[in-house]
Amino acid sequence: MKRLWNLAWPMMILGSSRVAMRTTDVLVVGFLGAWATASIGLGDVWLRLVLFIGLGLGAGTVARVSQSFGREEYKEADRTMTQAALLSVIVGTAATVILWFFGPELIRLLG
């Protein structure tokens, strides 16, 4: 049970911090009115898409690195982490550019 707790507590804090961040957004922007609060919800859709891509990349990296360590192929693990870091920079940069320049159009797509 202790090993399970050691694995679970960071994810519990991560999930709680996400909820706290969204709650804070709504509380702060709520004073500006319903339109501003709705815009947070719409913008969050696209940000979650980017987040889920990052989470998937992270999960795949952990799996591949774990397998490499299990086979004692440390150079392969290093190569996997390097590729994941590079891919993260590429995906993050692309997402930033797309959301920066096309954000209003993407929000309009949601209605």
Side-chain angles (χ1 to χ4, degrees):
M1 187 65 146
K2 184 177 179 177
R3 290 180 67 190
L4 180 62
W5 173 254
N6 288 337
L7 290 172
W9 76 263
M11 294 306 293
M12 292 167 58
I13 290 175
L14 177 64
S16 298
S17 66
R18 281 194 197 124
V19 170
M21 185 175 71
R22 297 295 174 229
T23 303
T24 303
D25 288 346
V26 171
L27 288 173
V28 170
V29 175
F31 294 109
L32 299 175
W35 181 84
T37 304
S39 67
I40 286 180
L42 291 173
D44 189 52
V45 170
W46 295 109
L47 291 176
R48 283 185 187 267
L49 175 65
V50 175
L51 173 71
F52 291 144
I53 291 170
L55 288 173
L57 176 62
T61 300
V62 167
R64 289 199 41 119
V65 169
S66 297
Q67 290 171 358
S68 296
F69 265 87
R71 292 188 306 265
E72 297 183 3
E73 295 175 356
Y74 303 114
K75 287 186 179 184
E76 178 66 23
D78 184 53
R79 189 172 74 85
T80 299
M81 288 187 292
T82 302
Q83 288 176 345
L86 180 60
L87 187 57
S88 295
V89 169
I90 292 168
V91 170
T93 302
T96 300
V97 169
I98 290 168
L99 293 174
W100 183 269
F101 289 107
F102 302 106
E105 289 81 9
L106 292 171
I107 297 296
R108 279 189 214 99
L109 283 175
L110 298 174

